[in-house]
Amino acid sequence: MSRGASLNPIPAQAGIGLRLPHHAQVLAERPAAAWLEVHPENYMADRHSLRELELIRAHYPLSLHAVGLSLGSAHGVDPAHIGRVHQLAERLDPALVSDHLSWSVAGGQYLPDLLPLPYTDEALRVVCRNVEQVQEALGRQILVENPSTYLRFAASAIPEAEFLAAVARRTGCGVLFDVNNIYVSATNQRLDPAAELAAWCRVLDGPMVGEIHLAGHAVVQTAAGAELRIDDHGDHVCAAVWALYEQALAHLGPRPTLLEWDTRVPAFAVLQAEAALAQSRLDAVQERAYACAV
Amino acid sequence: MPAPSELALASLQARMAAALLASDADGQALPEALFAGAHAGAAGLRVHRNTVLGALSNALRLSFVAVDRLVGEAFFDRMAVEYARAMPPRAPQLDEYGAGFAAFVTGFPGTEGLPYLGELAQFDWQFAELARDRPALETGGPMLLLDGGVRLQFLAPLRLHGARYPVDRLREAILAEDAVALGALELTPGDYRYALWRTPEGVRVRPLRLPSSRFLAAVYAGAGGAEALAAAAGEAGTVAAVAEILAQEILPAGFVRVGA
């Protein structure tokens, strides 16, 4: 299944997550950014912001990163929400459409979080069925992102990387590989992040990965006094995650990489500087590949 | 009966959703046997509960800005979390979440000294809904032909709103943090009417007297000129007196263009 036939494809460069506070500046100044990504749910009811996004989109490649499809819901994906995403995709011609390996709808109630799945055969069947339903309705491939996790189910029998790779193989979807989430999940489970990332790289082949995400996270104390990392997208990418990103690029090769910042959103220039740090690592990988080729 | 770790996915998700929205400790707990991570399952559930309720509270705060400013962040969060538990959203576009919040906060325990809180929330909601709209097109509303060939072209959408308190001045003073204006407000119940509309610069509001409100309601219901004027005059008024009020209140408001 094709990733879509956008007239403006996403390059293997560092893009920026566009949030509403930056609309006016991006419209007025057209600041440099290789590409932009937005949450479609922010534009479904807000016709004013959607109009602004249409104007912005004329100047930047665009990716739609959904948070509400609930691909892991046992009762299936809401066709009305697929319809809303489809309508936006028709209007905005995004090069990529993605959501998460998680659930957020149960009993018709929407819980605004990326809730974890037990990695079981039943959950694998559910996710594959839902991804296929979304891809069929949208008429395009989607990417599915590994989430940050704060708890692990006793029933989980399949490692997360193998679970997501199986979803990709069975449905033809791609993988949105979130390196910060690998770090957050691994440290929260007292695992070695580098070893975890290596395990992911053994399972993911390069073409499977359509995009990489990077973000900052918070560190809090649990009631029991233990350290817990929270994927709040509210800070700079930490040094350990940059190291994991370099490890991922060495295995996967250059991939479109997005800098996400959703809470305490800073000035756009800060996001540009953060994207430049990712771009320098992408450039280094491309230069090494070129040197090997010649 | 299946062991906790063998719960079917649908059942697990239903139980987890209920645990995340529960307010009491018993309802929030799930059997630890379900979990096998480095932290207790309860610690992970607490992270997700904070995320869910925090996101819903923030979504409501963005729509009910004056209410938030009036009662303060902590009290607003209390109201918002109780509302979220009672009426969680049914869809992911959270901009549209909160249609029932004004009714919910009316008479909320602890707000006895703020009898206008629910009406202020309704007014906030009108602003929030209009702010999400595209600016009205100049030719988008009804057109009215009056005697003498005068033509009134209205913008769309125009909203008419009624309240028992002067919520326009109340909201303005709260958002401006103008304690003097707030203290000087006469907050006795009455009959207040407003027109609200969207411009490229933002949402505009204009207070109206009863005849203007009746006139606009008739126009937007599809009435012709004479019919709308008669509706504005009501039982006791005269068309001439009403016409003067309309000329003062409606023509300069900015939501109608006069042509011949």
Side-chain angles (χ1 to χ4, degrees):
Chain A
M1 184 173 282
S2 87
R3 276 188 184 141
S6 172
L7 295 173
N8 214 347
I10 302 285
Q13 294 177 18
I16 291 174
L18 175 67
R19 303 297 175 250
L20 297 177
H22 293 137
H23 269 207
Q25 182 188 356
V26 173
L27 268 172
E29 301 171 12
R30 284 192 216 165
W35 57 284
L36 299 173
E37 183 167 280
V38 299
H39 296 310
E41 285 79 6
N42 289 346
Y43 299 89
M44 289 172 176
D46 188 341
R47 290 168 291 280
H48 178 62
S49 297
L50 175 58
R51 179 65 192 133
E52 290 180 341
L53 181 60
E54 284 180 314
L55 298 172
I56 291 169
R57 195 265 172 276
H59 305 286
Y60 300 89
L62 186 71
S63 165
L64 293 185
H65 185 47
V67 294
L69 284 168
S70 194
L71 296 173
S73 275
H75 290 299
V77 180
D78 179 6
H81 197 60
I82 300 176
R84 288 187 283 267
V85 173
H86 186 237
Q87 208 172 5
L88 277 180
E90 291 285 302
R91 280 181 79 156
L92 296 166
D93 183 32
L96 297 173
V97 176
S98 56
D99 205 318
H100 301 79
L101 182 63
S102 63
W103 64 278
S104 50
V105 177
Q109 296 175 338
Y110 172 70
L111 305 174
D113 195 4
L114 306 170
L115 297 168
L117 284 163
Y119 295 130
T120 61
D121 288 333
E122 182 199 11
L124 183 57
R125 285 193 299 274
V126 164
V127 174
C128 288
R129 178 199 67 199
N130 292 343
V131 168
E132 282 169 352
Q133 183 189 351
V134 172
Q135 291 188 141
E136 194 170 319
L138 298 183
R140 63 184 299 153
Q141 184 199 46
I142 64 169
L143 306 182
V144 180
E145 176 183 341
N146 57 300
S148 281
T149 53
Y150 310 101
L151 49 80
R152 186 162 283 191
F153 291 101
S156 285
I158 308 170
E160 187 181 55
E162 289 176 25
F163 188 98
L164 186 49
V167 172
R169 279 194 304 273
R170 291 187 192 184
T171 68
C173 78
V175 171
L176 196 172
F177 191 44
D178 191 312
V179 175
N180 179 60
N181 289 352
I182 297 291
Y183 182 75
V184 167
S185 297
T187 52
N188 284 344
Q189 296 303 326
R190 304 288 180 264
L191 301 171
D192 174 16
E196 283 295 292
L197 191 121
W200 275 87
C201 288
R202 280 194 294 276
V203 173
L204 299 179
D205 57 51
M208 200 182 265
V209 177
E211 181 183 344
I212 293 176
H213 270 184
L214 295 169
H217 61 262
V219 184
V220 300
Q221 301 285 318
T222 67
E227 190 178 275
L228 196 66
R229 289 174 191 267
I230 309 288
D231 179 36
D232 70 346
H233 297 182
D235 206 341
H236 295 274
V237 178
C238 72
V241 170
W242 283 123
L244 288 182
Y245 177 54
E246 290 167 8
Q247 188 183 339
L249 288 181
H251 175 76
L252 299 170
R255 285 289 175 278
T257 300
L258 187 89
L259 272 298
E260 295 183 290
W261 203 313
D262 288 281
T263 53
R264 303 177 294 280
V265 178
F268 197 81
V270 175
L271 304 182
Q272 286 177 301
E274 200 79 344
L277 295 175
Q279 188 61 52
S280 66
R281 288 161 170 89
L282 283 164
D283 291 342
V285 171
Q286 272 159 342
E287 281 163 21
R288 276 201 296 276
Y290 178 74
C292 288
V294 297
Chain B
M1 185 177 168
S5 60
E6 295 167 355
L7 284 171
L9 188 61
S11 170
L12 174 70
Q13 290 177 345
R15 289 182 67 178
M16 200 164 155
L20 293 177
L21 292 174
S23 57
D24 62 300
D26 285 347
Q28 290 179 355
L30 288 177
E32 279 296 330
L34 280 172
F35 307 105
H39 297 284
L45 286 174
R46 198 171 301 119
V47 172
H48 288 299
R49 187 174 299 111
N50 288 343
T51 302
V52 168
L53 297 177
L56 295 179
S57 193
N58 284 335
L60 292 170
R61 195 187 317 283
L62 290 173
S63 290
F64 298 94
V65 286
V67 171
D68 176 42
R69 198 76 68 83
L70 179 67
V71 302
E73 187 178 340
F75 194 84
F76 186 90
D77 281 343
R78 253 180 65 192
M79 295 195 300
V81 164
E82 282 201 32
Y83 177 73
R85 285 178 163 142
M87 283 176 253
R90 314 291 296 182
Q93 57 276 25
L94 293 184
D95 289 335
E96 292 180 327
Y97 178 56
F101 190 63
F104 186 82
V105 302
T106 302
F108 190 85
T111 66
E112 294 77 9
L114 306 172
Y116 43 80
L117 188 67
E119 297 216 346
L120 180 66
Q122 281 179 10
F123 206 53
D124 265 345
W125 186 247
Q126 294 278 5
F127 269 76
E129 285 200 314
L130 274 171
R132 295 195 296 267
D133 247 323
R134 291 177 61 175
L137 300 174
E138 290 196 349
T139 55
M143 197 265 283
L144 198 65
L145 269 176
L146 298 174
D147 285 347
V150 176
R151 192 181 60 181
L152 300 182
Q153 176 65 61
F154 290 86
L155 303 183
L158 181 72
R159 288 183 179 210
L160 298 174
H161 184 78
R164 291 185 307 126
Y165 293 93
V167 284
D168 60 331
R169 283 177 283 149
L170 182 60
R171 188 173 191 273
E172 193 179 335
I174 290 168
L175 296 183
E177 298 178 356
D178 187 341
V180 176
L182 203 52
L185 270 179
E186 187 98 14
L187 289 170
T188 49
D191 182 10
Y192 299 91
R193 291 159 189 271
Y194 305 97
L196 297 99
W197 70 103
R198 180 76 162 89
T199 74
E201 292 75 37
V203 179
R204 295 285 179 266
V205 59
R206 182 156 184 101
L208 302 171
R209 280 178 281 177
L210 182 59
S212 299
S213 176
R214 283 176 167 169
F215 177 79
L216 289 170
V219 169
Y220 273 75
E227 195 184 344
L229 280 170
E235 300 80 26
T238 65
V239 169
V242 162
E244 193 176 331
I245 292 173
L246 300 183
Q248 290 168 0
E249 291 186 350
I250 292 180
L251 296 185
F255 55 72
V256 63
R257 172 176 285 179
V258 183

